[in-house]
Amino acid sequence: MNESFGSNSADTAEDDTLAFLYGPSSEVAPRLLGCIFERTLDNGIILSGKIVETEAYDQTDTASHSYKGKTPRTEVMFGPPGHLYVYFTYGMHYCCNVVTGPVGYGAAVLIRAIEPLQGEKDMELRRTRHGRELTNGPAKVCQAFAINSQLNGHDLSAAPLKLIAPADRDTANIVQTTRIGISTAKDIPWRFYYRNNPYVSKPSN
DNA sequence: AGCGGGATTTTCT
DNA sequence: GAAAATCCCGCTT
């Protein structure tokens, strides 16, 4: 039935809360705002934070890595929803995405900013920054949360990186605007963020 | 506060 | 060989 989530689990409650990931990335992106990333490091330290900025990408969109079809790099984007797509760029940065549905359709949501909730001290060690500079950008998020290509394809229903959708997710004050850092399809309004949240990478547009 | 350039290597043409 | 879903530093205003 539902092989992408909790294949070994009895906690179907959590699986149900992630069912929204099966939709189109442009609908999933705003719904990921307010969801929690929970990262367990090898040394047992737990980091967590609330997603406050996202961008949708899909295979009909020239700005998407999946636009030109499945390649070794983008294979995960065409796989099951609820997994992590991690890519390496500019010779030094990792960025991570939550894969959306349906299976066989290349789409994902870039996690652009997170508001830290737990483990800020440990994030500071990797970032050499503090406060909003910890996680106000996609590559900063990956550095703070120690996310690299080893986590590419990871199932987000399980440790060491879990996506958790709280029952009381805040749906108010969401801004929808155009995406950042792309050279084509600049007019598509697939960027979403919480208005006035200090961790948003770049307010307004 | 804002702009411009450099870093650095994977990925696909 | 060129571009890249970025970040950081240094310089100017």
Side-chain angles (χ1 to χ4, degrees):
Chain A
M1 294 163 98
N2 189 341
E3 294 190 43
S4 19
F5 299 122
S7 52
N8 60 348
S9 77
D11 61 331
T12 51
E14 182 172 293
D15 293 355
D16 289 342
T17 67
L18 293 181
F20 73 94
L21 298 179
Y22 278 73
S25 58
S26 58
E27 293 180 15
V28 173
R31 298 193 61 187
L32 277 170
L33 298 178
C35 290
I36 307 297
F37 251 14
E38 184 180 88
R39 173 83 164 102
T40 305
L41 300 179
D42 290 343
N43 60 14
I45 290 178
I46 293 178
L47 316 171
S48 75
K50 179 176 70 175
I51 296 170
V52 299
E53 180 183 353
T54 59
E55 281 179 2
Y57 290 87
D58 95 24
Q59 64 179 38
T60 66
D61 156 29
T62 56
S64 175
H65 293 167
S66 58
Y67 178 66
K68 294 187 175 175
K70 194 191 287 188
T71 67
R73 178 207 204 186
T74 63
E75 186 177 0
V76 174
M77 284 186 79
F78 291 83
H83 288 238
L84 195 72
Y85 165 51
V86 181
Y87 68 88
F88 183 70
T89 191
Y90 290 102
M92 62 186 84
H93 298 302
Y94 293 99
C95 295
C96 71
N97 299 246
V98 175
V99 175
T100 67
V103 173
Y105 187 88
V109 176
L110 175 67
I111 305 303
R112 284 198 56 91
I114 283 181
E115 177 181 330
L117 296 174
Q118 185 180 165
E120 289 186 67
K121 291 297 180 195
D122 194 76
M123 296 180 195
E124 288 172 0
L125 298 178
R126 276 180 300 282
R127 288 284 303 129
T128 326
R129 292 289 186 285
H130 58 85
R132 63 187 299 276
E133 295 301 322
L134 239 33
T135 48
N136 64 336
K140 298 177 187 180
V141 164
C142 285
Q143 190 178 21
F145 279 75
I147 292 169
N148 57 36
S149 54
Q150 288 189 334
L151 283 172
N152 188 38
H154 171 70
D155 179 348
L156 291 167
S157 69
L161 182 61
K162 279 185 168 179
L163 176 66
I164 301 165
D168 62 341
R169 191 180 67 83
D170 179 14
T171 58
N173 297 307
I174 292 176
V175 177
Q176 175 172 10
T177 183
T178 52
R179 297 171 295 181
I180 292 180
I182 51 176
S183 54
T184 63
K186 292 183 173 178
D187 53 320
I188 301 177
W190 281 358
R191 176 174 176 238
F192 303 86
Y193 64 87
Y194 279 136
R195 188 186 306 278
N196 296 330
N197 187 290
Y199 288 87
V200 169
S201 63
K202 182 184 160 214
S204 105
N205 244 17

